[in-house]
Amino acid sequence: GAFTVNVSGQTVTVTVTVAETKNFQGAETQFQVLASTSGSLQVTLPFAELTYNGGDQMLLEGAPALPDGVAIRYKVGETGTWTDYSDTDPANWKSVTGQNAGSYTVYWETTAGGDYNASSGHESVEIQKAELQGTFADGKDSVTYLLAEVPESHTIELDLSGNRNYAPSMARTYTSDNDTVAYPINNNNTITLTGQVGTAKISIWCPGDANYKDRVFTFTITVSETELEMTVVKADKEVEYDGQAHTLTVEVTEPVSAQVLYADETGAYTLTAPPAYTDVKRNADTGAVESYEIKFRITAPGYKTVEDSVTLTIQPKDITKGMFEDSIGNYTYTGKQIVPDPVVTDGTLLLVEGEDYTV
C-alpha cells in the first residue's frame, strides 16, 4: 500500500501489519524511511546504442552518476529480477542485458542517502534490427558470358547462413530489370538466359524477421557478343633493403569477379598470392642490381585474358659508421698489429660478414 509522511528532514519508522486469514497467520514488520528536504532523486540511465548481434548485450554503457551515499539497483521488464544494489555489487549495471531486437524497459530503484529519499523510475531503450549479410558463390556478384557460349540458365547462390538465428517466415523473391536478357521462372534462383546481348540486374529480396531488416541483394548477368577488356591497375615498386620480405599485388577494377594468378618458380600460374622477396638481386657476372619480375595472369568469363608482369627492385642499403662504431672502441698501443672486429647492426637486425658486408 501507499502511505504519506508529513515531516521532512527526519527518519520515520513505518510499521506494516498483515491481518490473519483463513490459511495464513498474521504478521508485522517495520522499516525506516528518510523524509529528506531534497525530495526524490532523478536518475538518467546511460543507455548504449545497440544493434542485434545474436548474443546478450549490456543495455547500459556504465553506471549512472549518483550522489554520495546513494546506491541503485535495476531490473529489465516489470517482471524481471532485481540486481543487487550497487553498494554490494558496483558492476551490477553489467547485468542489465538484452538479446533480441526490440524495446526494453529498465526499472531502477535508489536507496535513501545524500539528503534524497529512496526513489524509483524506469526508462526504455531499443536494440535495433541488424542488416542481413550475404555472400554470393566465390564472392562474385556478377557473371559475364560470351554470346556464342551462353548457357540456358544461371543459378545464383546467395548464402545467408552467417546471420545468427535468422528465421524468415517468407521466401526470397527474384526479379529482373531486363527480361530480354535474363529472367527468373517460378521465383527461384535459377535464372533463364534468353541468348540476347545485354545486361540484366537480378534483384533478390530477402525478408527480414524479428531481428533482421529486409534487404535486397543485386546480381548482374551480362551477355557480350565479343570478349570485353579488363581494367587492371598495376605499378612497379622499388624499396631499400631492410631485411623484410616485400611483394606487390595487381588490382582488377573491372570485372571484380576476375581471378588473378601469379607465376611460380617454374613459370606456371599456380599462385593465388604474389611471391615475396627479401634480398637484393644482383647480376651473377657484373654484380649490378637487378629487378625481380612478378608475372601474372588474369581471367574472367567473357573477358580477354591478360598476361603481364610487374617488377620489384630492392636497392642495397648504405652501411654507415653508426652501424658499427660502438663495437670497435679505443685501443692502446702494444707494438703489435691490431685487427678490429666490428659488429654491424641495422636497428635490431644483425648483419652477417661475408654475406651482408666485407671488412
Side-chain angles (χ1 to χ4, degrees):
F3 61 89
T4 302
V5 178
N6 294 317
V7 297
S8 63
Q10 300 180 39
T11 298
V12 297
T13 300
V14 179
T15 301
V16 179
T17 302
V18 179
E20 183 176 349
T21 65
K22 179 180 179 180
N23 295 315
F24 294 92
Q25 296 180 357
E28 184 176 286
T29 187
Q30 292 182 334
F31 61 93
Q32 292 182 324
V33 175
L34 172 65
S36 76
T37 56
S38 299
S40 298
L41 177 64
Q42 297 300 314
V43 175
T44 299
L45 299 179
F47 285 123
E49 293 185 4
L50 301 172
T51 300
Y52 175 77
N53 64 9
D56 285 332
Q57 300 187 79
M58 292 182 289
L59 300 179
L60 302 178
E61 290 185 329
L66 298 172
D68 291 340
V70 176
I72 190 170
R73 67 176 183 173
Y74 318 89
K75 69 177 181 179
V76 179
E78 192 171 1
T79 60
T81 301
W82 286 106
T83 67
D84 292 333
Y85 276 102
S86 55
D87 55 356
T88 301
D89 179 13
N92 63 351
W93 60 272
K94 294 182 179 180
S95 302
V96 183
T97 61
Q99 183 180 91
N100 293 324
S103 180
Y104 292 83
T105 301
V106 179
Y107 292 79
W108 57 267
E109 289 184 350
T110 57
T111 58
D115 292 332
Y116 286 94
N117 293 329
S119 306
S120 63
H122 61 271
E123 294 182 70
S124 295
V125 64
E126 185 116 356
I127 295 181
Q128 301 294 328
K129 288 187 176 184
E131 180 113 333
L132 281 170
Q133 303 299 315
T135 55
F136 291 102
D138 300 324
K140 301 172 182 178
D141 63 357
S142 64
V143 66
T144 300
Y145 290 108
L146 283 176
L147 180 59
E149 302 171 355
V150 65
E152 293 182 355
S153 64
H154 179 89
T155 300
I156 300 175
E157 301 290 349
L158 175 60
D159 182 12
L160 300 179
S161 62
N163 300 286
R164 293 179 62 183
N165 304 321
Y166 174 54
S169 58
M170 301 173 62
R172 306 175 190 180
T173 61
Y174 297 78
T175 57
S176 172
D177 72 344
N178 190 353
D179 288 349
T180 62
V181 174
Y183 58 90
I185 294 181
N186 298 326
N187 193 36
N188 62 43
N189 63 337
T190 299
I191 309 301
T192 297
L193 305 184
T194 65
Q196 300 296 312
V197 173
T199 297
K201 290 185 177 181
I202 309 300
S203 296
I204 309 163
W205 177 79
C206 298
D209 63 5
N211 293 311
Y212 292 93
K213 297 181 288 187
D214 300 353
R215 182 175 176 184
V216 175
F217 295 86
T218 302
F219 188 89
T220 303
I221 299 175
T222 300
V223 178
S224 175
E225 199 164 358
T226 59
E227 289 185 315
L228 303 175
E229 297 284 347
M230 293 191 196
T231 303
V232 180
V233 179
K234 69 183 186 74
D236 298 333
K237 183 179 179 180
E238 184 173 304
V239 298
E240 185 180 68
Y241 173 80
D242 59 3
Q244 304 297 314
H246 293 275
T247 189
L248 48 80
T249 57
V250 175
E251 180 185 0
V252 184
T253 58
E254 176 61 33
V256 294
S257 59
Q259 180 186 49
V260 183
L261 293 176
Y262 298 88
D264 58 24
E265 294 180 349
T266 68
Y269 293 98
T270 61
L271 306 177
T272 56
Y277 301 96
T278 302
D279 298 325
V280 176
K281 182 180 180 181
R282 294 185 181 273
N283 184 281
D285 297 324
T286 65
V289 174
E290 295 184 339
S291 300
Y292 293 99
E293 184 181 24
I294 299 176
K295 297 181 179 180
F296 60 88
R297 174 189 289 163
I298 308 174
T299 57
Y303 286 80
K304 295 179 181 178
T305 297
V306 174
E307 286 192 12
D308 203 346
S309 66
V310 288
T311 60
L312 170 65
T313 306
I314 302 177
Q315 294 289 357
K317 184 173 185 177
D318 293 334
I319 294 180
T320 63
K321 181 180 178 181
M323 293 181 178
F324 61 85
E325 63 179 349
D326 290 344
S327 66
I328 295 179
N330 298 315
Y331 298 93
T332 302
Y333 175 75
T334 63
K336 298 180 181 179
Q337 183 183 28
I338 297 175
V339 180
D341 185 19
V343 176
V344 184
T345 59
D346 181 13
T348 59
L349 180 65
L350 177 64
L351 276 63
V352 178
E353 183 176 357
E355 181 178 329
D356 297 318
Y357 69 93
T358 58
V359 178

